[in-house]
Amino acid sequence: MLTDLGHDVLSGVEVDPRAADEVLLTLANQEQRVLVTEDKDFGELVFVRHLPHPCIIRFVDMQAVEKVAAMRELIEQHADAMHEGALIVVTRRRVRIRSRKRNEQGDD
């Protein structure tokens, strides 16, 4: 879907199927890519280890069709937050956006 919309997409499997989360986070940050995941470990890398990061979108317990719909909504309604490096958690019932500015201030 993202490719069809003209976005440059790179799968972690294409990079290295066994790449560590830190490697994927570093690559996404260097290339200014949005990192899309289901893995909650990226939160630890950002909040505990304070690693630099691009926008991270985490989908929680959603089917593929739900993720596609949610991603379309994010692109349409929250593009600014994505460009600003927000951390976004998406569930079936809610979208939680945490801005980079808030993260850098140390607010939780």
Side-chain angles (χ1 to χ4, degrees):
M1 182 269 302
L2 292 170
T3 302
D4 290 344
L5 292 174
H7 297 281
D8 179 20
V9 176
L10 178 63
S11 167
V13 174
E14 294 175 68
V15 173
D16 179 350
R18 293 174 278 163
D21 291 345
E22 293 91 345
V23 170
L24 297 175
L25 183 66
T26 298
L27 178 64
N29 194 53
Q30 289 172 341
E31 296 187 2
Q32 289 302 291
R33 294 181 178 273
V34 173
L35 194 147
V36 180
T37 186
E38 294 179 332
D39 187 349
K40 66 181 178 182
D41 294 337
F42 287 99
E44 178 183 337
L45 296 175
V46 170
F47 293 114
V48 177
R49 295 181 49 196
H50 304 288
L51 296 180
H53 61 87
C55 174
I56 299 173
I57 299 172
R58 179 173 173 246
F59 290 107
V60 179
D61 297 326
M62 297 174 71
Q63 300 294 322
V65 69
E66 294 171 312
K67 292 176 194 173
V68 169
M71 184 58 79
R72 284 184 190 276
E73 184 178 323
L74 286 172
I75 291 168
E76 292 171 5
Q77 297 181 12
H78 302 290
D80 288 346
M82 293 169 67
H83 287 292
E84 293 169 1
L87 297 174
I88 303 172
V89 177
V90 183
T91 66
R92 286 185 178 110
R93 293 194 170 96
R94 124 181 182 173
V95 174
R96 188 172 67 225
I97 299 174
R98 186 174 203 158
S99 73
R100 180 181 294 247
K101 291 175 189 166
R102 183 175 174 197
N103 294 334
E104 291 172 352
Q105 293 171 353
D107 296 342
D108 288 319

